Amino acid sequence: MNDTSSTRETLRLEADAEGVARAAGILRAGGLVAFPTETVYGLGADATDGKAVAGIYAAKGRPTFNPLIAHVPTLDVALAQGRFDAAALALARAFWPGPLTLVVPKAPCCTVSDLATAGLDSVALRSPAHAVARALLDAVGRPVAAPSANRSGRVSPTTPAHVLGDLDGRIDAVLMGGSTAVGLESTIVACLGDGPVLLRPGGVPRAALEQALGRRLATATAADHGSADGEAPVAPGMLASHYAPKAGVRLQATRIRPGEAALLFGPAGVEGIGDARAALNLSPTGDLAEAAAQLFAMLRDLDKTGATTIAVTPVPDDGLGEAINDRLRRAAAPRPGPGD
Ligand code: TXA
Ligand code: MG
């Protein structure tokens, strides 16, 4: 079922009770189903079935050292899979269901396959808030491994059309659940015994986490991520070039050069906009939640104009801005060419 050398028909399933039941049946039989979460669309497989998980890596073209998030319906189910210390419990109670992933030591009875955890002795767990995702997880009755439903290294999908653009013919089905509300991936926090560490900024802002913890949150540094020399990274989502449109991305633009596509933020005008090939505004009112929800779709739309560069005006770094700027820096990072 997961031989990606042969193409297959990708079913478009309505996100209703019948579609969710069919999707759950496909997942339980070892197939691949893309489904909406409140952050981005996930590409799901039965996390306990190594062969099914292998299908995710094949469909995405993802390096196999990159571990996956196991999605569960409730904290109770998560407690059977991972060992939660006081910080992990406090965060799960404050933000689940929601856009937060916790990396915790595997529990002795953890059923998540070694392929999904990339052989680590920790497991990434998330209980999503999206009603369709929750219904699906209930119906599957097993943890569902799901990275974002895009080809590896590409922009994460926030609509079924994005998913199909990358993966049509490579996966078994898509649950057609409309646009995702948050638009950025979950925040990832590791709770591995040395205090909580922010591995990836995302849908839950740092200040909210720190308030729930009653303490400052340490941040993983680039040195913690041995990606450059091929070591298993702590959070390979932090691989430098990860959220990459085809166009180059120029950050902190204060004027737009002729022929560039412009990605704006806020009400202020910007010099040169009249000569832009195209312009979109993440949030004309300067609302960071709206900007997060629009980010990936607007990067895709500007990329489609064929512009060689997308110029992005400054986005403030507070609240969800930390995650938005993280994704923009990755989109702008140098990426390996075809010969590398
Ligand atoms: O919002 C999200 O998190 C979406 C939706 C579908 O849930 N998922 C998502 O998955 O963004 P993905 O695979 O694109 O990113 C998961 C990140 C990767 O950077 C991976 O390296 C990290 O989680 N991760 C998974 N297991 C880990 C572990 N045991 N230790 C450290 N990092 C881990
Ligand atoms: Mg991803």
Side-chain angles (χ1 to χ4, degrees):
M1 186 173 237
N2 291 325
D3 178 10
T4 49
S5 60
S6 63
T7 54
R8 55 188 125 171
E9 189 201 347
T10 299
L11 297 173
R12 278 79 164 150
L13 300 175
E14 289 302 316
D16 56 12
E18 191 192 325
V20 166
R22 284 186 73 186
I26 294 169
L27 287 172
R28 290 179 64 88
L32 300 179
V33 179
F35 63 97
T37 80
E38 72 278 26
T39 58
V40 300
Y41 273 71
L43 177 56
D46 177 352
T48 68
D49 176 347
K51 199 155 163 267
V53 173
I56 293 180
Y57 292 112
K60 282 186 63 104
R62 166 175 241 191
T64 47
F65 56 68
N66 209 347
L68 304 175
I69 297 169
H71 296 72
V72 292
T74 61
L75 174 56
D76 276 352
V77 174
L79 291 174
Q81 300 292 336
R83 286 191 280 123
F84 283 60
D85 63 11
L89 271 181
L91 291 174
R93 290 200 175 113
F95 299 107
W96 279 3
L100 174 70
T101 295
L102 294 168
V103 174
V104 298
K106 276 183 176 171
C109 50
C110 180
T111 56
V112 176
S113 68
D114 283 340
L115 191 58
T117 60
L120 299 172
D121 48 21
S122 57
V123 60
L125 294 164
R126 172 156 111 84
S127 176
H130 195 292
V132 173
R134 299 183 64 69
L136 182 65
L137 293 170
D138 277 334
V140 174
R142 298 174 198 152
V144 171
S148 49
N150 52 281
R151 296 292 290 265
S152 189
R154 305 300 305 278
V155 173
S156 292
T158 57
T159 68
H162 296 162
V163 175
L164 289 165
D166 272 15
L167 297 173
D168 197 9
R170 301 176 68 89
I171 63 177
D172 296 298
V174 183
L175 270 170
M176 309 288 283
S179 296
T180 61
V182 177
L184 288 175
E185 299 86 346
S186 60
T187 302
I188 306 181
V189 177
C191 297
L192 295 170
D194 303 323
V197 178
L198 180 66
L199 298 184
R200 176 176 78 180
V204 178
R206 173 193 292 274
L209 298 166
E210 291 181 341
Q211 195 181 2
L213 288 166
R215 60 187 279 189
R216 296 293 299 276
L217 192 57
T219 304
T221 63
D224 297 332
H225 306 290
S227 51
D229 45 28
E231 267 173 66
V234 179
M238 306 191 76
L239 284 172
S241 171
H242 186 76
Y243 301 87
K246 292 196 187 79
V249 176
R250 188 167 72 82
L251 301 180
Q252 307 295 342
T254 50
R255 60 175 286 274
I256 308 302
R257 298 173 188 151
E260 284 183 329
L263 186 60
L264 313 174
F265 176 82
V270 58
E271 202 185 319
I273 194 71
D275 295 325
R277 180 185 281 246
L280 293 172
N281 197 320
L282 288 166
S283 172
T285 60
D287 175 347
L288 287 166
E290 182 186 26
Q294 304 275 26
L295 177 66
F296 290 138
M298 287 188 171
L299 281 173
R300 281 175 184 265
D301 286 346
L302 291 176
D303 215 15
K304 277 195 228 139
T305 66
T308 51
T309 305
I310 299 171
V312 188
T313 62
V315 176
D317 212 35
D318 46 83
L320 285 173
E322 183 179 3
I324 294 170
N325 284 318
D326 171 79
R327 303 306 187 273
L328 285 170
R329 275 193 300 276
R330 279 172 220 297
R335 52 196 85 135
D340 291 338

